Amino acid sequence: MTELITWLILGYFILLNGSYLALNLLSVFALHRNNQEKLLDALPQAFTGLEPGISLLVPAYNEEATITASVRSMFQLTYSDFEVVVINDGSRDNTLEVLKREFSLLPFPEAPREGLATKPVRGIYRSMTYPNLRVIDKENGGKADSLNAGINAAHHPLFCGVDADSILSRDSLQRVAKPFLTHPDTVATGGTVRVANGCEVIDGFLTKVGLPTNIWALFQVVEYLRAFLFGRLGWSRLNAMLIISGAFGLFRTEVVIAVGGYRANTIGEDMELVVRMHRMLRRQGKPYRIEFVPEPVCWTEAPEDRKTLKNQRVRWQRGLSESLTSNWGLMFSRNGGTPGWLAFPFMILFEWLGPLVELGGYLFMLYAYAFGLVSWQAFSVFLFMAIGLGILLSVSGLLLEEISFRMYPKFRQLAVLALVVVLENFGYRQLNSWWRLLGLYRWAAQREAKWGEMKRKGVGQPQTPR
């Protein structure tokens, strides 16, 4: 029995790391092609007038200290036709008053479409100084409800949900909208999210890239590199990407309305929407593309304390659980294609149930080796599969970053990241698996989820929980 369990555990880790290596190879081909296309970026850039308009939707809850800088930074984005729609989600501070004062807002008699159900809208305001700025004041309903209210008010065929504390690169809209021009059947695109901790930000724009000194944030820098550069990029090559980060994603407005918008009763509303889009568009037999574009960069502040990071990962796992279980119809469906026959089972086996198998594997192998139930050779093979290949995958992500984007060109920065790539496999990844397992348990037990306190250095004060 012990031998059978040992082989099952070894087989699981071989399959897990082999799958990630396959995604890594797909990412290499994608980045090679992407680097060839980037040669055109050296040419003078001009707008053709054919670019689809974009509505930037900015949900805001108790953001009085940062909302002005966030909104002003968005007006410096280089794109031909976009509007900014701020959704004040029943803030209990002076967010609305700050917006009124800083942007000369006046009530505007506008009736938004009633396509998506939301909490009551109390008023709509338009800026007298920025004609493409509107503010929706509504009762508190959460981020998903706020985004749905913004979609109802959006004037453009594409919308981009942006967190109020996110920092977008100036050309991010140009780049993330490119697939909509080259492939008319594109329904959604996502860009890269990077950790802003340690970077220099002036007036809402990142002016200097740096690394954080906090160890928790450093671990997340490596995580984000791995997740975006060969996770989502690899799935994008197969048109099977099931996640677009809620911090930065571009969607075709009419398609999102047709599938029912964001669900307010789920934690991971961003992933759930993308999985549902796959399920419904596959069922209807409509051709579509959901792409990941590596260049558009959104910088976000990562948690720098263990408690906040734990709360974030618990919620992410609960959101994954809800997204998958509410869209079972996609898996192995007749028209499921690569999303239903490859990506969905992968998410279940390695992302959803992964924490249970991985931690169980560690405990079993340690117990079996300690009591002489497995040989040193078998235990060594397990350590190589669980830790050695994990280091190899992280190193490959760092190499892809250095070859393609060179965001961290200094030798000292690369040396620090290389050290973190190794260190994260001895404690941090196992702790992360424990937090994910806790999230799985809380989802199964239907325990109430709370954001907890997100401490941000940029604000100086803890953000009020929603």
Side-chain angles (χ1 to χ4, degrees):
M1 186 66 178
T2 300
E3 184 177 352
L4 175 61
I5 296 176
T6 300
W7 278 109
L8 287 174
I9 292 173
L10 290 177
Y12 177 86
F13 277 94
I14 290 172
L15 190 59
L16 169 67
N17 290 298
S19 300
Y20 279 123
L21 284 173
L23 286 174
N24 199 356
L25 289 175
L26 286 172
S27 299
V28 170
F29 290 119
L31 284 174
H32 175 69
R33 179 180 176 182
N34 182 74
N35 288 337
Q36 291 179 322
E37 294 177 353
K38 281 170 65 176
L39 294 174
L40 298 175
D41 294 343
L43 300 175
Q45 301 293 307
F47 293 106
T48 65
L50 301 176
E51 292 81 12
I54 296 175
S55 297
L56 284 171
L57 309 183
V58 189
Y61 179 77
N62 292 356
E63 301 279 359
E64 63 174 327
T66 60
I67 192 64
T68 299
S70 297
V71 173
R72 290 192 188 281
S73 71
M74 292 176 190
F75 289 124
Q76 300 179 55
L77 296 173
T78 55
Y79 194 74
S80 58
D81 185 15
F82 72 95
E83 64 173 348
V84 178
V85 182
V86 179
I87 305 99
N88 179 46
D89 189 38
S91 297
R92 292 180 292 179
D93 65 356
N94 293 318
T95 298
L96 182 60
E97 286 67 27
V98 169
L99 287 167
K100 287 180 178 179
R101 180 181 69 251
E102 295 295 328
F103 299 102
S104 303
L105 298 182
L106 292 178
F108 186 74
E110 177 180 347
R113 67 169 71 91
E114 298 181 357
L116 301 172
T118 69
K119 292 288 186 179
V121 173
R122 297 184 290 213
I124 297 179
Y125 301 84
R126 183 181 290 276
S127 171
M128 298 297 291
T129 53
Y130 295 91
N132 56 339
L133 170 64
R134 284 179 296 147
V135 174
I136 299 172
D137 182 34
K138 60 180 287 294
E139 295 182 6
N140 181 261
K143 182 179 178 181
D145 189 79
S146 298
L147 288 169
N148 285 339
I151 292 170
N152 287 340
H155 289 164
H156 293 308
L158 305 179
F159 77 86
C160 179
V162 182
D163 290 344
D165 58 350
S166 295
I167 303 167
L168 297 180
S169 299
R170 293 178 186 270
D171 61 350
S172 56
L173 291 185
Q174 286 176 261
R175 295 183 181 277
V176 79
K178 185 177 179 180
F180 288 90
L181 292 171
T182 55
H183 303 287
D185 57 352
T186 300
V187 297
T189 59
T192 300
V193 178
R194 294 182 182 267
V195 174
N197 305 54
C199 299
E200 182 181 276
V201 179
I202 298 177
D203 295 330
F205 270 95
L206 188 139
T207 57
K208 182 180 179 182
V209 175
L211 286 178
T213 55
N214 179 274
I215 188 63
W216 296 108
L218 273 172
F219 283 139
Q220 292 171 81
V221 171
V222 174
E223 276 188 302
Y224 278 53
L225 287 177
R226 185 171 56 243
F228 284 92
L229 285 188
F230 73 79
R232 300 184 191 183
L233 187 56
W235 286 120
S236 179
R237 287 280 292 176
L238 301 172
N239 196 26
M241 189 170 63
L242 299 185
I243 302 175
I244 290 179
S245 175
F248 187 40
L250 188 63
F251 296 85
R252 197 172 293 278
T253 307
E254 62 179 5
V255 174
V256 172
I257 292 176
V259 302
Y262 291 91
R263 287 187 174 168
N265 60 348
T266 186
I267 296 172
E269 71 283 337
D270 46 3
M271 178 181 180
E272 196 283 327
L273 172 64
V274 177
V275 178
R276 182 159 28 98
M277 289 173 67
H278 277 292
R279 176 170 61 87
M280 300 190 72
L281 292 173
R282 285 280 173 182
R283 178 186 298 172
Q284 297 167 6
K286 294 182 178 180
Y288 71 94
R289 298 170 64 94
I290 296 178
E291 289 194 26
F292 173 73
V293 189
E295 291 92 351
V297 176
C298 172
W299 298 84
T300 188
E301 188 173 346
E304 291 194 350
D305 65 285
R306 185 186 59 82
K307 182 179 179 181
T308 306
L309 183 58
K310 171 191 171 183
N311 291 337
Q312 183 191 66
R313 299 313 164 92
V314 167
R315 284 185 60 88
W316 282 4
Q317 192 67 19
R318 290 195 59 164
L320 173 68
S321 302
E322 293 176 351
S323 300
L324 294 177
T325 55
S326 62
N327 290 283
W328 282 120
L330 176 61
M331 186 168 67
F332 301 141
S333 62
R334 184 177 61 180
N335 299 319
T338 50
W341 287 82
L342 196 59
F344 203 100
F346 177 93
M347 285 291 179
I348 290 177
L349 186 60
F350 298 129
E351 299 293 340
W352 189 41
L353 300 178
L356 182 62
V357 180
E358 290 174 29
L359 288 178
Y362 278 110
L363 293 175
F364 174 82
M365 292 300 293
L366 287 171
Y367 171 84
Y369 177 69
F371 287 92
L373 300 178
V374 298
S375 66
W376 164 247
Q377 290 81 0
F379 188 65
S380 299
V381 171
F382 167 75
L383 290 178
F384 173 74
M385 292 298 172
I387 297 178
L389 287 182
I391 295 175
L392 176 62
L393 289 170
S394 296
V395 168
S396 65
L398 183 58
L399 286 175
L400 287 177
E401 154 67 28
E402 175 64 12
I403 293 171
S404 301
F405 302 105
R406 294 182 59 82
M407 284 288 181
Y408 307 100
K410 296 182 180 179
F411 176 79
R412 180 180 176 278
Q413 293 175 327
L414 290 176
V416 169
L417 289 177
L419 179 62
V420 173
V421 159
V422 176
L423 289 179
E424 68 157 352
N425 291 274
F426 298 93
Y428 177 73
R429 293 185 72 171
Q430 293 76 17
L431 181 62
N432 215 330
S433 293
W434 167 247
W435 291 336
R436 291 165 59 203
L437 183 61
L438 184 60
L440 191 61
Y441 163 73
R442 291 185 179 177
W443 166 81
Q446 296 297 304
R447 293 183 60 178
E448 182 182 359
K450 296 181 180 179
W451 268 117
E453 192 177 78
M454 176 61 183
K455 299 178 181 178
R456 300 187 185 278
K457 292 172 62 178
V459 176
Q461 297 292 335
Q463 187 182 41
T464 306
R466 298 184 76 153

